[in-house]
Amino acid sequence: MSKPLTIGQVAASSGVSTHTLRYYEQAGLLRPVGRTDAGHRLYSPADLDWLQFVMRLKATGMPIAGMQAFAALRAEGEATFGARQAMLIEHRDAVLARIAELQTNLAAITDKIEHYEAAEREIASTRHTDNSFVKDSP
């Protein structure tokens, strides 16, 4: 088993601030983690795996309330597998809809870029063939 990590080590390796890690624990997104005799947090590999999953939910737009509901179901154990699966299916579908919307918007932006590129080529072509822009050499 890997050696438990301190909150500072987890923050450095995950890119999540120590303040955010404490907030996630307080908000119920993370289970209470182990502690040293002095009371310092120690994160296990399982804690890090769960944190990574929470960060993915956040990155894909799941609201904090949704993440809290999912974490609460997780804490209840195996009896909630179906409910958790249903939540993830709903979230996946929302993410796919957002990706489709982004792809539509990206296609419109790409079309506009191509429009400007064609317009610039046309202007450049006109300048090369228009004698009013060409100086005669002596």
Side-chain angles (χ1 to χ4, degrees):
M1 178 171 168
S2 298
K3 178 181 166 190
L5 300 177
T6 66
I7 193 169
Q9 291 169 320
V10 171
S13 68
S14 68
V16 176
S17 72
T18 58
H19 174 78
T20 299
L21 290 167
R22 287 186 196 99
Y23 169 75
Y24 282 179
E25 189 176 342
Q26 182 180 30
L29 298 178
L30 297 177
R31 294 177 181 166
V33 297
R35 302 266 182 163
T36 66
D37 291 337
H40 299 288
R41 288 171 175 82
L42 287 177
Y43 292 83
S44 71
D47 294 327
L48 298 179
D49 290 344
W50 175 247
L51 173 63
Q52 185 177 41
F53 187 70
V54 167
M55 291 169 53
R56 285 189 172 126
L57 292 175
K58 181 179 183 236
T60 55
M62 183 179 276
I64 293 287
M67 291 187 289
Q68 288 171 318
F70 191 87
L73 287 171
R74 177 181 177 252
E76 291 180 31
E78 293 177 1
T80 64
F81 281 176
R84 286 186 268 170
Q85 180 185 18
M87 281 187 75
L88 291 177
I89 288 169
E90 183 179 339
H91 182 63
R92 179 198 61 200
D93 292 347
V95 170
L96 289 170
R98 179 69 177 134
I99 289 170
E101 179 184 351
L102 287 170
Q103 287 175 330
T104 298
N105 292 333
L106 179 59
I109 291 167
T110 300
D111 288 346
K112 189 58 78 173
I113 290 168
E114 290 170 359
H115 166 77
Y116 289 128
E117 288 172 345
E120 284 183 331
R121 282 192 303 272
E122 186 175 324
I123 290 169
S125 171
T126 303
R127 285 185 180 151
H128 290 299
T129 59
D130 186 350
N131 288 334
S132 65
F133 289 104
V134 178
K135 290 187 178 182
D136 290 72
S137 45

